[in-house]
Amino acid sequence: MTRTKINLQSVDPTLLAPTSELCPEVGLEVSGTDGIPVTAVKGDRLSVEPAGEGIRITYRRRNEWFRALTFLPQVLESGRGVTETGAYRMLCYLADCSRNAVPNPDSVKRLIRYLARMGYDSMMLYTEDTYTVPDYPHFGYRRGRYTDAELRELDDYADSYGVELIPCIQTLAHLATALRWEDFKDFRDTEDILLVGDARTDCFVERALRQCAACFRSRRINIGMDEASLIGCGEYLHKNGYHAPSDIMLSHLGRVVELCEQMGFRP
């Protein structure tokens, strides 16, 4: 691909490294000495417009700068400016990192760049048991789980592109690959559902949330409790007798939300 040289002027210094990395993917090359002058202006919209001998990019949020760069080649070719106003306050992509092969950090970084180019401002990493939880060594064992250092690196990388990386974990069901281990044998309701109301369940959820708080700068968190259709039908029924599934679910939801709020999360 033939690349057009651009010379960045009045650009936030923290944008320079990710811009240099992304530009070759859209047919551009950052030059410090020559090339088409490109100036950056903070404003109330995204626009890429001819300005004298160069180009002026206006953007509201950090991620929009990278979105604007994707328009630059066509503006240079046509001579006509482009303006875009996002229709959403939040545009988020959920990446499933729990099925088949877990995307390695380089793959996640590439996806973050694609999302920034498409105008996304956030991304959720859906991790059932593909991250580490202190004191639970078999959680994610041999599943390709992300280390603490990898999650922090990905969070920093996403932030450099203006993309909010949001933890997305399971706090009730969808945990069969973790609950098969001896670590969890005393506080599982069924083969894939945690035992609601047990102090050991609360302890595990608290540790998982605390791990997310330590690895992600975002204070949003997706606390999955989906597909727990057999809740209360296993060990819970044996220990507590029958209770309506909705009552058990609401009890657990209240406890998990309480734990989230203790750590400053907005679940």
Side-chain angles (χ1 to χ4, degrees), residues 204-250:
F204 166 72
V205 173
E206 186 270 338
R207 295 289 175 83
L209 293 172
R210 194 170 297 282
Q211 181 74 340
C212 291
C215 295
F216 296 84
R217 51 171 50 79
S218 175
R219 295 300 90 179
R220 305 180 204 259
I221 188 169
N222 185 321
I223 48 171
M225 298 184 187
D226 55 308
E227 297 186 5
S229 57
L230 294 178
I231 188 172
C233 294
E235 185 63 19
Y236 185 95
L237 180 64
H238 176 73
K239 295 183 67 171
N240 303 291
Y242 176 78
H243 288 71
S246 57
D247 291 340
I248 304 172
M249 176 73 78
L250 286 171

Side-chain angles (χ1 to χ4, degrees), residues 14 18 24 34 36 45 56 59 73 93 95 97 101 121 125 129 154-155 176 181 191 224 227 236 253 258 266:
T14 64
D34 57 355
I36 298 168
R45 62 196 173 110
R56 181 177 63 249
Y59 65 101
Y93 175 82
C97 300
D121 57 27
L125 283 184
D129 65 330
L154 290 174
D155 187 61
W181 298 107
E191 66 178 10
E227 297 186 5
Y236 185 95
L253 174 62
E258 179 184 352
R266 302 189 306 276

Side-chain angles (χ1 to χ4, degrees), residues 83-99:
T83 299
E84 182 177 84
T85 302
Y88 304 97
R89 287 176 296 179
M90 178 183 182
L91 186 59
C92 185
Y93 175 82
L94 188 150
D96 190 341
C97 300
S98 301
R99 301 288 183 277

Side-chain angles (χ1 to χ4, degrees), residues 91-258:
L91 186 59
C92 185
Y93 175 82
L94 188 150
D96 190 341
C97 300
S98 301
R99 301 288 183 277
N100 304 316
V102 177
N104 63 33
D106 285 342
S107 296
V108 176
K109 288 179 180 180
R110 183 169 64 250
L111 181 55
I112 288 168
R113 295 196 300 274
Y114 290 162
L115 294 176
R117 286 164 54 179
M118 291 188 288
Y120 283 77
D121 57 27
S122 49
M123 172 182 174
M124 292 186 185
L125 283 184
Y126 176 62
T127 50
E128 289 178 0
D129 65 330
T130 51
Y131 62 105
T132 60
V133 177
D135 300 325
Y136 297 89
H138 287 97
F139 186 78
Y141 178 65
R142 299 184 69 84
R143 285 270 286 134
R145 62 189 174 188
Y146 296 111
T147 65
D148 304 15
E150 286 172 334
L151 288 178
R152 291 190 182 98
E153 180 183 352
L154 290 174
D155 187 61
D156 288 341
Y157 189 85
D159 184 66
S160 74
Y161 280 92
V163 175
E164 180 183 359
L165 199 61
I166 301 170
C168 178
I169 64 173
Q170 288 292 351
T171 60
L172 179 60
H174 266 291
L175 291 171
T177 54
L179 300 191
R180 63 189 173 184
W181 298 107
E182 287 293 298
D183 306 31
F184 299 89
K185 69 180 180 66
D186 294 326
F187 57 102
R188 56 188 174 213
D189 184 4
T190 66
E191 66 178 10
D192 67 339
I193 302 175
L194 290 165
L195 182 58
V196 173
D198 191 287
R200 290 162 295 188
T201 293
D202 289 354
C203 181
F204 166 72
V205 173
E206 186 270 338
R207 295 289 175 83
L209 293 172
R210 194 170 297 282
Q211 181 74 340
C212 291
C215 295
F216 296 84
R217 51 171 50 79
S218 175
R219 295 300 90 179
R220 305 180 204 259
I221 188 169
N222 185 321
I223 48 171
M225 298 184 187
D226 55 308
E227 297 186 5
S229 57
L230 294 178
I231 188 172
C233 294
E235 185 63 19
Y236 185 95
L237 180 64
H238 176 73
K239 295 183 67 171
N240 303 291
Y242 176 78
H243 288 71
S246 57
D247 291 340
I248 304 172
M249 176 73 78
L250 286 171
S251 172
H252 189 61
L253 174 62
R255 180 59 180 146
V256 174
V257 168
E258 179 184 352

Side-chain angles (χ1 to χ4, degrees), residues 26-92:
V26 295
L28 301 172
E29 178 183 343
V30 176
S31 172
T33 57
D34 57 355
I36 298 168
V38 175
T39 58
V41 179
K42 293 295 289 292
D44 60 358
R45 62 196 173 110
L46 185 161
S47 67
V48 185
E49 300 171 313
E53 297 298 317
I55 296 290
R56 181 177 63 249
I57 292 178
T58 303
Y59 65 101
R60 296 173 301 170
R61 296 180 293 176
R62 188 179 184 89
N63 67 302
E64 289 186 342
W65 163 260
F66 301 100
R67 171 71 171 161
L69 290 174
T70 68
F71 291 124
L72 207 158
Q74 75 180 66
V75 172
L76 290 172
E77 182 177 353
S78 68
R80 296 189 299 272
V82 172
T83 299
E84 182 177 84
T85 302
Y88 304 97
R89 287 176 296 179
M90 178 183 182
L91 186 59
C92 185

